[in-house]
Structure formats: C-alpha cells, structure tokens
Amino acid sequence: MLELAHITKTYNGSGGETVYALNDVSLRCERGSFVVIVGSNGSGKSTLMNIIAGSDTPDTGNITVGGKKLLSMPEHRRAATIGRVFQNPFQGTIADMTVMENLALAYCCGRGFTFKPALTRQLREEIRERVAGIGIGLEDRLTQSMSSLSGGQRQALTMLMATWRKPRLLLLDEHTAALDPRSADLVLNLTGRIVAERGLTVLMVTHSMQHAVLFGERLIMMHHGQIVYDIRDGEKRRARPSELIARFEELRRADRMDESVAGLLRAQYH
Amino acid sequence: MLTMIIGGLSLGFILVPLALGVHISYRLLRFTDISVDGTYALGGVVAAQLIIMGLEPVTATVLAAIAGAMAGACTGLLITRFGIQRILAGILIMTALYSLNFYVLGKSAHLYDAEITMLTYAESGAIAVFGDTGAHFLFGMKFFPRSVMSLLYYGAMALLLGGALLLFFRTRIGLAVRGAGSNEAAMRALGADVPLLLVVALAISNGLAALSGALLSQELAMVSITDGVGMIVTGLACVMLGDAFFGRKTFVWRFAGALIGALIYRVLIAMLSFISIFSSDVRLVTAIFVTLALVFPRLLKKLRTPAIAVTHPE
C-alpha cells in the first residue's frame, strides 16, 4: 500500500553543517495496517508526514501509495489519496464557514471544485446523518459557524472530513496533542471507530506512549531521522509504555555520550 | 431633494460592483487589493474608447469588465506564481495600469462625445415611460425621468449582480474560494488548487471594479486616467458602512451589507456636496471615515478594559 524508499531530507544547521531530518528512511505498510510513529522532537516524524502529504519535498527517495508515484504530485492533487488531520485543531477546518459548508468542502475533495451547486438537499441529508454518527450532538449545530465550536469538536469534524471519501492513506499528525484529556479521548475513540469501520490504512504520530501501545498493530520509533525500532503484532501487543520510555532514555544517553566525546575531541584540537 | 436622492442612489448602485469586489478581496481574501484603483480606471477608459469607436454600450461595458478581470488575474498570478507580497503585487499592477490606461485613452482625460452611451438608453426609456425627458413633479418635488430610468437600470443591474454572485458562492468552487481566503492549509489538505482559487477571486473582484468604472464614466459623461485614485478606499468605506448597518456575522448578510453600504455611501456623499464641500475633499472625508471605522472598535475595547479593572469589589 504505502512504500517509502530511501527518503533523505537535509537542511543546513546553524553552523553551516548538514543536518539530516530524514536519513535514508525506507518503510512498507500493508493495506489496512495501523502504524504508530513515536520519536523525540526533531526525530523526523513530522518531516516524514509532511513529505508524504506533499507540504515538504525530500532531497532523494521515492514514495508510492497503491502503486501510484506521489512525489510528482503537488499537495492538493494528493488530497484525494491522502486524508490528513493536523495537530492544531483549528488548521483542519475553516473557522468562518458553517459546519455544513465545511463538510460540503470535504465532500468535494476528490470530486473537484466545479460550478455545480455545493449543498444539494441530498448532501445535506448525508451530512446530517454522518455528523450524527459521531455521536456528540453536532448534527443540531450544522448551520453554526465552525469558530463557535471547541477544539475537540472541531478535531472530531476534521476526522470526519479527512475520511469523508475513503482515503487510501490517513495521516494523523499528533492530532490529539493540543486537546484537553476529555476531548483527546473523544477524538481517539472516534479515530478507532472510523478506522475500523472503513478499514483504513493509517500512519499516526503521537507523543503519548499510552496511545502508542493502545493503538495500531505496528510501532515505529524514530531518532535523528532514522527508524531505530520497528515492532509489530505480538511484540507490539506486549509492549508497555515504560519499555518505550526506557528505549527513549537509552537513545538519549547515547546522544549525551556522543556529545561528551565530541566535546573532548574539540578540546584536544583547539 | 428628490433629484439628489435619485442621483445619489443611482451612483450608489453604480458603486455596488466595486463594493462587492472589495468585499471579496478585503473580507474573503483578507487583503487590501490596491490594483482596484487601476482596474477601476481601466474599466472607464476601455468602455470610453470602445463606445467612442462606435461599439454598443452594454457590450463595451462588459468588455471593460473583462479587461479588469484580466488585470486582476495578473495581480493573482504575481502573488501565486512569483511569490510577490500581496500588497506589492497590487501596487505593481496599479502603477502599470496607470500608464496603460493613458495608452488606451490616448490622453489623460476625455469627454464622452459618443452617439450612444448608457445615458441614451435611459433617455429612450424615459420617453417610453414618461412621454418626455422634461422635469416632472412628485408631491411638489422636481425630478427628471431620465435619472429615474437610470436608477431603475442600475438598480436592476446591481441586484442581479448581487444575486449572481451569491449563487456563485453557493457552488463548489465558490465555497472553495471562501475557504481558500480563510484557511489555505485546510483547503490544500482538501485537495483545492489554492493559487488558482486566488487568481479566480481576484479576477472577479477586479472585473467588478472595472464594471463600476465603466458605468460611472458613462453616467458622468467624462473619463480620466485619474478616476481610479483612492477607489480602494471608497470600496472599503462601502464595506464598512455595510458592516455598521448590518452588524451580522453570516455570509449572506455581510454580502448584502456591502451592497447596501455602497448606497449609503453615495447618499452620504450627495448630502455632503449639498452642504458644499469640494468634490476634491470627498476622498479626504472617505479616508478619514475608513480610518475611524478601523480605529473606533479598538478604541472602544481599550476604553472598556481598564473600566473592569477599576470596578473590582471592596
């Protein structure tokens, strides 16, 4: 389904040195798999998401989704293939349009923004039904402006919008990190439900080790632009948050070691 | 009094396209598109030149609007294709159009010495309805049939145009234009070609400005390449007056507000000219009004905030 081959992305560090945001990353995900990605800040997980979605371009490498080459397509042409939910709950919806209008835009995704009337009676019915399906009473607020809703409510609607037509791949970029715990639970439950109901292929980045062990059947840990840890199925089911945190600590210790060695070397050469 | 109101409303309806155009760039796309100054004048000179060449006035007016739309699309392309700052792109197109308008007109100002303009239609309409074009009286107040017919024509034009635009904003692409003005990232994630939408919106907005320019130059029977100076501010004044009278938040009401705002603006200006301010002062008055409209809400907020701090209990 999703295949990343040797993706590398570099940028210039403050001292003019080359920094690898992604260093020769390859990854294969099967259809219908739910892959969780964890990693510290700057480990490259967000860059990876941006490159798949098309808001960033890699230096080298190749990406295919369902056999379709992605890199030659601009971001908006990938949208029919890839659904995306951002960390910022205000980024995925349009604040000063109504809930109904937002969902009508989601309906147009993949169908084209043509001169046809946007909100037909049939579509209004469909929207009402599917919003009611979320189960948080938003079907009574369809004509209200999106800006009148809370972050959690908006993120729930973004989930619905990103999956309105079944995307081949769903990218969840820390999509509950900016929400209060109750809203985060709500959005995560909804995520699980939608993904299961529709059999979606998902890449989910998260900072929460609890969520990382609860969701998905495969877990990937990134560090310094590389995949350092990749477990699935039985091993993934047995994983505990404490183990993951221990792994992080280990990586961090190794980093500190590197730094102190570098410091020693610098001291000798200056 | 009656002639003043009829004249003011006529000019107001002529300004409606400009107001709606500025509403699109300022409210929906959230930037002040100064190319409107150039495209407004472009509409005037293109219509004038075509009509003087003997073209039928309605056709000439439509062509003038299309010319304005093309110039607006250029502003959009400068922004999206070449990454030029939005404001600067507007300034560049406005400046370039100043020279271009001079070439179109062949001189800097021109009287309309054409056989047939929109005025001719109003006159023949007046003869058909009232029998002649002389002064008539209503409750002892004088009015001219020609200006009544102008009012009807321009009123119908403005309402039809407003309706057509509202229909456009109910289509999928119209909805996408609104979305792109508000949240580009979300629209990209939903698969919309945001740069294209921006170009389309600016083409519509500037086409409307050119339409106003074309109609006003015919109504005043005079055209000059400086006609467009400050028109963006006039458009903003209309939009803000509309907000003041229709302080509602829904899309349709704000849209209707811009339309009504244009009428209120022209009637106010007509009243000002009644108390004999110079016509060259109109732009100063407009600029002061827009400044106040922008500053006042903030001032109000500032005044309220310390008041709460002072009135704590004890």
Side-chain angles (χ1 to χ4, degrees):
Chain A
M1 165 48 66
L2 170 69
E3 191 157 353
L4 304 174
H6 309 290
I7 302 287
T8 296
K9 170 82 184 176
T10 58
Y11 58 92
N12 291 326
S14 50
E17 78 280 15
T18 304
V19 178
Y20 283 89
L22 290 175
N23 190 351
D24 194 28
V25 171
S26 296
L27 177 68
R28 273 184 74 115
C29 303
E30 294 81 32
R31 181 187 295 272
S33 59
F34 192 132
V35 180
V36 178
I37 305 177
V38 295
S40 49
N41 288 329
S43 62
K45 51 197 193 326
S46 283
T47 310
L48 189 68
M49 294 299 241
N50 287 336
I51 282 176
I52 297 173
S55 48
D56 204 344
T57 46
D59 302 337
T60 56
N62 242 320
I63 307 175
T64 56
V65 170
K68 226 184 335 181
K69 282 200 170 137
L70 276 193
L71 288 181
S72 53
M73 286 194 237
E75 185 180 358
H76 72 269
R77 298 241 340 265
R78 298 185 199 184
T81 316
I82 298 175
R84 190 176 191 191
V85 183
F86 304 94
Q87 176 177 2
N88 180 347
F90 305 118
Q91 200 175 340
T93 48
I94 290 138
D96 46 27
M97 291 170 80
T98 65
V99 174
M100 188 79 102
E101 287 167 338
N102 270 274
L103 287 153
L105 286 171
Y107 170 85
C108 292
C109 178
R111 290 183 171 87
F113 294 92
T114 58
F115 285 93
K116 287 185 192 158
L119 278 161
T120 57
R121 184 167 303 160
Q122 194 191 347
L123 181 58
R124 279 171 201 274
E125 270 317 303
E126 193 184 343
I127 288 173
R128 181 175 301 280
E129 239 166 67
R130 288 182 67 171
V131 171
I134 306 178
I136 49 175
L138 290 177
E139 63 276 14
D140 299 326
R141 301 178 66 177
L142 292 176
T143 55
Q144 285 182 22
S145 150
M146 200 51 106
S147 58
S148 69
L149 303 188
S150 73
Q153 289 169 325
R154 284 177 73 167
Q155 203 67 326
L157 287 171
T158 311
M159 270 302 303
L160 184 61
M161 286 168 69
T163 55
W164 189 269
R165 285 184 92 182
K166 185 179 169 182
R168 281 164 174 268
L169 176 67
L170 178 63
L171 300 178
L172 305 172
D173 197 352
E174 294 189 46
H175 70 310
T176 59
L179 303 177
D180 63 86
R182 242 191 68 206
S183 304
D185 279 349
L186 184 140
V187 171
L188 274 173
N189 283 335
L190 180 68
T191 305
R193 229 171 66 212
I194 289 180
V195 169
E197 270 170 24
R198 316 204 62 195
L200 299 172
T201 310
V202 187
L203 280 189
M204 178 170 103
V205 169
T206 181
H207 258 145
S208 155
M209 294 307 129
Q210 271 79 18
H211 297 160
V213 295
L214 272 175
F215 280 84
E217 68 277 334
R218 183 173 174 193
L219 184 139
I220 284 169
M221 188 181 283
M222 293 191 68
H223 193 64
H224 289 329
Q226 286 180 312
I227 296 175
V228 292
Y229 187 45
D230 183 351
I231 56 170
R232 54 175 87 198
D233 304 325
E235 199 181 348
K236 162 75 170 67
R237 272 195 296 278
R238 285 190 297 274
R240 295 286 164 266
S242 52
E243 285 170 46
L244 295 178
I245 291 166
R247 290 229 174 220
F248 270 123
E249 281 306 317
E250 210 175 291
L251 291 167
R252 227 167 268 159
R253 252 200 313 280
D255 277 356
R256 271 202 297 276
M257 201 89 104
D258 281 355
E259 268 167 42
S260 54
V261 170
L264 276 176
L265 287 174
R266 260 200 299 276
Q268 279 183 7
Y269 282 97
H270 277 283
Chain B
M1 186 66 188
L2 194 58
T3 45
M4 192 192 82
I5 291 175
I6 291 175
L9 281 180
S10 273
L11 293 179
F13 279 124
I14 289 175
L15 272 191
V16 163
L18 174 76
L20 296 179
V22 171
H23 176 78
I24 290 173
S25 56
Y26 184 72
R27 285 271 186 251
L28 301 188
L29 304 183
R30 290 139 202 267
F31 89 104
T32 314
D33 175 23
I34 308 175
S35 43
V36 158
D37 274 26
T39 47
Y40 179 91
L42 178 71
V45 300
V46 167
Q49 200 53 268
L50 289 175
I51 289 170
I52 290 165
M53 279 161 59
L55 199 67
E56 195 275 325
V58 175
T59 317
T61 306
V62 170
L63 287 175
I66 291 173
M70 280 158 55
C74 289
T75 308
L77 288 173
L78 286 185
I79 296 168
T80 54
R81 275 271 155 156
F82 304 106
I84 296 177
Q85 272 178 38
R86 290 174 159 207
I87 298 277
L88 181 57
I91 294 173
L92 289 174
I93 291 296
M94 174 193 73
T95 309
L97 280 176
Y98 188 83
S99 300
L100 203 70
N101 288 339
F102 185 84
Y103 277 112
V104 173
L105 201 61
K107 49 186 117 175
S108 55
H110 206 10
L111 282 175
Y112 248 94
D113 47 2
E115 296 271 311
I116 306 174
T117 67
M118 291 290 201
L119 290 183
T120 331
Y121 291 153
E123 248 157 46
S124 50
I127 291 168
V129 177
F130 293 91
D132 61 66
T133 55
H136 280 61
F137 290 89
L138 182 72
F139 304 123
M141 285 185 290
K142 193 167 77 171
F143 72 94
F144 291 96
R146 191 201 66 76
S147 45
V148 174
M149 293 315 289
S150 285
L151 179 63
L152 287 178
Y153 288 167
Y154 294 133
M157 182 270 312
L159 293 179
L160 280 177
L161 201 64
L165 279 170
L166 276 182
L167 278 182
F168 169 74
F169 283 114
R170 281 164 175 260
T171 63
R172 296 176 180 182
I173 186 173
L175 221 52
V177 165
R178 288 176 55 197
S182 176
N183 187 340
E184 288 190 16
M187 286 310 296
R188 272 199 303 275
L190 288 172
D193 187 350
V194 173
L196 179 73
L197 293 173
L198 195 74
V199 172
V200 168
L202 284 176
I204 294 175
S205 157
N206 283 283
L208 290 169
L211 176 60
S212 278
L215 291 175
L216 195 72
S217 65
Q218 289 176 66
E219 180 68 17
L220 302 178
M222 215 175 88
V223 62
S224 148
I225 57 165
T226 57
D227 280 349
V229 175
M231 272 314 179
I232 178 67
V233 182
T234 302
L236 288 176
C238 299
V239 168
M240 284 165 192
L241 275 169
D243 274 3
F245 283 84
F246 291 92
R248 317 254 189 133
K249 282 283 170 197
T250 71
F251 178 76
V252 176
W253 277 111
R254 296 194 108 181
F255 198 83
L259 196 152
I260 307 283
L263 302 183
I264 298 169
Y265 173 79
R266 274 322 307 199
V267 170
L268 286 181
I269 294 297
M271 283 173 173
L272 283 179
S273 57
F274 209 61
I275 58 166
S276 69
I277 66 159
F278 293 114
S279 59
S280 56
D281 289 340
V282 168
R283 289 190 173 107
L284 176 64
V285 172
T286 309
I288 291 174
F289 167 75
V290 170
T291 310
L292 286 178
L294 288 173
V295 171
F296 200 61
R298 255 173 243 187
L299 215 64
L300 222 60
K301 221 177 184 177
K302 238 184 190 171
L303 286 173
R304 273 185 201 154
T305 324
I308 296 163
V310 172
T311 55
H312 63 89
E314 258 181 303

